[in-house]
Amino acid sequence: MKPYRMIVIGNKNIVSSEIRDAWKQAGIGLRGPVLPSAFEMGLVRAAHGVLIDATEDANFMFRISEQLEAASVPFVFVVREERVLGHKGPYVLGVRPEDIKDIVEELLEQYDSGVRH
C-alpha cells in the first residue's frame, strides 16, 4: 500500500497511541491532532486527506469544510470509536482495519471524483 498521510483536526485526545499505531500498520501516517485554533490551510499541502473531529464547534466545522472544499482537499468528519452507539453515523477514528479502510476509501473516492463531504 502506498504510504498515505492524513491530517487530524481536533482536541489532543482524539488520537490515542493505539489509533496511531493501527493507522501506521495500515500504511497511513496521522499528523496531529491539530487544534482547531491552530489549523491553517498550509498544513494540508502534503496530506492526502483531512479527518475532522465531528464533536468540534459547528461553526468551525462549517468554516473549515468550506475552505477544504474550495481547495479540493478530501475530508471526512470522524469520532472516536467509543462515541459510536451501534448505529450508522460518522466515520470512526479507531483501531479496527475496517474503520481505517472506510475512511481511506471515502477520501480517495472524493479525491478522484472531486465531490467533497
Side-chain angles (χ1 to χ4, degrees):
M1 175 184 248
K2 179 181 176 182
Y4 292 103
R5 291 177 302 281
M6 306 293 175
I7 303 291
V8 179
I9 303 172
N11 72 57
K12 64 182 180 178
N13 298 321
I14 191 163
V15 179
S16 67
S17 59
E18 293 85 13
I19 289 171
R20 192 172 304 280
D21 290 344
W23 282 70
K24 186 176 181 179
Q25 285 182 339
I28 304 158
L30 293 179
R31 181 172 177 197
V34 176
L35 294 174
S37 59
F39 178 77
E40 56 186 59
M41 286 299 292
L43 294 172
V44 302
R45 265 185 258 143
H48 294 93
V50 176
L51 313 179
I52 303 169
D53 182 352
T55 65
E56 289 298 329
D57 175 71
N59 289 326
F60 166 78
M61 289 190 295
F62 179 75
R63 182 177 50 82
I64 193 64
S65 64
E66 293 244 310
Q67 291 175 355
L68 293 170
E69 283 183 5
S72 297
V73 176
F75 67 94
V76 294
F77 295 100
V78 298
V79 295
R80 289 276 302 260
E81 57 195 336
E82 61 269 9
R83 291 184 156 272
V84 176
L85 302 175
H87 57 77
K88 180 71 175 157
Y91 292 94
V92 176
L93 179 59
V95 301
R96 296 177 344 137
E98 53 268 29
D99 293 333
I100 295 170
K101 180 178 176 272
D102 287 346
I103 290 173
V104 172
E105 285 179 351
E106 175 61 30
L107 290 171
L108 292 176
E109 184 177 313
Q110 287 183 35
Y111 187 79
D112 290 341
S113 71
V115 174
R116 307 288 182 251
H117 54 309

